[in-house]
C-alpha cells in the first residue's frame, strides 16, 4: 500500500466477515508474508467495523521476519478502529493478527520515513509470538519518526500472546553501535487501553527500551520491564496515571 516511489495507496477492510489474509512465502527470496504501508510512497490502511487482517507465516519454517512496516522509507498510516458495525450484536472488533516465528513490526523505519499506527475503540493488534522472538520498533533509525497510539476501552497492542516474552524499542536502535540513538518514537497508552510487551515481567531483563528521542506516555497500561536510555517517561495525559507492570 503506497509501495513504489511517489505512489499513493489506500486500502480499507471494513465490516464483519471481511477478511484479508497474507500467507506463504515469496518465491524469489523466501520472504514470508509481510505487509508494507508506505514503503516508498504514501500508504494508508484502515481496518474497521469488525474487519480482520491476518498475516500468517503458514508454517514455512523460515527464519526471516513475518509482520508489517508502517512508514518504511515513505509515509504510512495504519488505523485499527474497534467500533462495532451498526447492528452487529456479536461484539466483533477490528483486529490485525500476526502469526509465525520471528515476528516484527516497525513504525517509522528509515531516515526520512514517517509512520503512525492508531489502535482505537477496542481495536486490537496481536502477535502470536510462538518462539518468544517478536520485536517491535517505533522510530527505529535516526531521522525516522514513528508514533503508536493505543486508546479506548479494550484497545490493545499485544506483542506476547504466547507469554514467552517479546521486545519493543522506542526511539532506540540496538544495532547502531550507540543503542540509544534511534529515531523519534512515541508510544501512548490511553485510558482503558493496554500495551503488552512481555508477560515475563520482573525477571531483571528489560523488554521495553526507550532511547534519547523516545517517549512513552499516557494513562493506560503497559506490561513489561522498561529500560530508559535517556528518553522520556511521561505518565498521565494532563492528569492521569500510566500503569507499568514490570
Amino acid at each position: 500500500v503506497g509501495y513504489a516511489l511517489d505512489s499513493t495507496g489506500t486500502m480499507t477492510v471494513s465490516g464483519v466477515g471481511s477478511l484479508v489474509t497474507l500467507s506463504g512465502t515469496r518465491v524469489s527470496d523466501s520472504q514470508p508474508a509481510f505487509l508494507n504501508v508506505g514503503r516508498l510512497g504514501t500508504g494508508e490502511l484502515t481496518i474497521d467495523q469488525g474487519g480482520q487482517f491476518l498475516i500468517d507465516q503458514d508454517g514455512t519454517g523460515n527464519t526471516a521476519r513475518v509482520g508489517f512496516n508502517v512508514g518504511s522509507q515513505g509515509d504510512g498510516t495504519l488505523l485499527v478502529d474497534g467500533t462495532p458495525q451498526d447492528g452487529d450484536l456479536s461484539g466483533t472488533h477490528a483486529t490485525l493478527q500476526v502469526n509465525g516465528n520471528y515476528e516484527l513490526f516497525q513504525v517509522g523505519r528509515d531516515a526520512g520515513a514517517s509512520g503512525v499506527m492508531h489502535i482505537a475503540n477496542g481495536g486490537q493488534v496481536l502477535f502470536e509470538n510462538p518462539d518468544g522472538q517478536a520485536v517491535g520498533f517505533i522510530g527505529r533509525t535516526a531521522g525516522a519518526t514513528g508514533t503508536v497510539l493505543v486508546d479506548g476501552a479494550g484497545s490493545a497492542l499485544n506483542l506476547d500472546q504466547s507469554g514467552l516474552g517479546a521486545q519493543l524499542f522506542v526511539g532506540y536502535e540496538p544495532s547502531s553501535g550507540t543503542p540509544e540513538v534511534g529515531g523519534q518514537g512515541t508510544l501512548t497508552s490511553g485510558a482503558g487501553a493496554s500495551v503488552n510487551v512481555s508477560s515475563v515481567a520482573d525477571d531483571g531483563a528489560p523488554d521495553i527500551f526507550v532511547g534519547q528521542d523516545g517517549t512513552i506516555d499516557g494513562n493506560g497500561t503497559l506490561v513489561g520491564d522498561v529500560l530508559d536510555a535517556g528518553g522520556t517517561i511521561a505518565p498521565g495525559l494532563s492528569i492521569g496515571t500510566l500503569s507499568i507492570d514490570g
Side-chain angles (χ1 to χ4, degrees), residues 11-12 18 30 38 47 51 56 107 117 120 133 143 170-171 180 184 204 206 234:
M11 181 178 183
T12 300
S18 298
S30 298
I47 308 168
D56 190 0
V107 178
M117 178 166 69
Q133 298 290 327
V170 183
E180 65 274 13
Q184 182 175 336

Side-chain angles (χ1 to χ4, degrees), residues 209-232:
F209 301 77
V210 186
Q212 288 181 349
D213 290 323
T215 299
I216 293 178
D217 61 15
N219 53 0
T221 298
L222 181 63
V223 180
D225 296 330
V226 179
L227 172 65
D228 182 5
T232 301

Side-chain angles (χ1 to χ4, degrees), residues 33-193:
F34 205 89
L35 169 69
N36 266 297
V37 182
R39 180 180 180 269
L40 291 169
T42 300
E44 182 176 330
L45 170 61
T46 298
I47 308 168
D48 65 5
Q49 300 288 305
Q52 308 289 302
F53 202 116
L54 172 64
I55 305 170
D56 190 0
Q57 194 180 46
D58 198 24
T60 62
N62 201 314
T63 57
R65 293 284 185 179
V66 57
F68 63 88
N69 290 335
V70 181
S72 298
Q73 294 172 278
D75 299 322
T77 302
L78 168 62
L79 170 62
V80 183
D81 186 345
T83 303
Q85 185 176 11
D86 290 344
D88 174 44
L89 302 180
S90 68
T92 302
H93 295 281
T95 301
L96 170 58
Q97 173 79 50
V98 179
N99 292 340
N101 296 321
Y102 299 98
E103 295 168 348
L104 167 73
F105 84 84
Q106 300 178 106
V107 178
R109 190 189 71 179
D110 293 349
S114 175
V116 176
M117 178 166 69
H118 186 190
I119 307 168
N121 304 314
Q124 296 187 330
V125 175
L126 308 173
F127 292 78
E128 182 188 28
N129 193 32
D131 57 353
Q133 298 290 327
V135 61
F137 293 89
I138 304 171
R140 177 166 187 169
T141 306
T145 301
T147 302
V148 173
L149 171 60
V150 188
D151 65 345
S155 297
L157 170 59
N158 187 353
L159 271 169
D160 190 26
Q161 282 188 293
S162 68
L164 295 175
Q167 291 185 318
L168 177 63
F169 299 90
V170 183
Y172 190 111
E173 171 53 88
S175 61
S176 69
T178 307
E180 65 274 13
V181 179
Q184 182 175 336
T186 302
L187 170 64
T188 300
S189 178

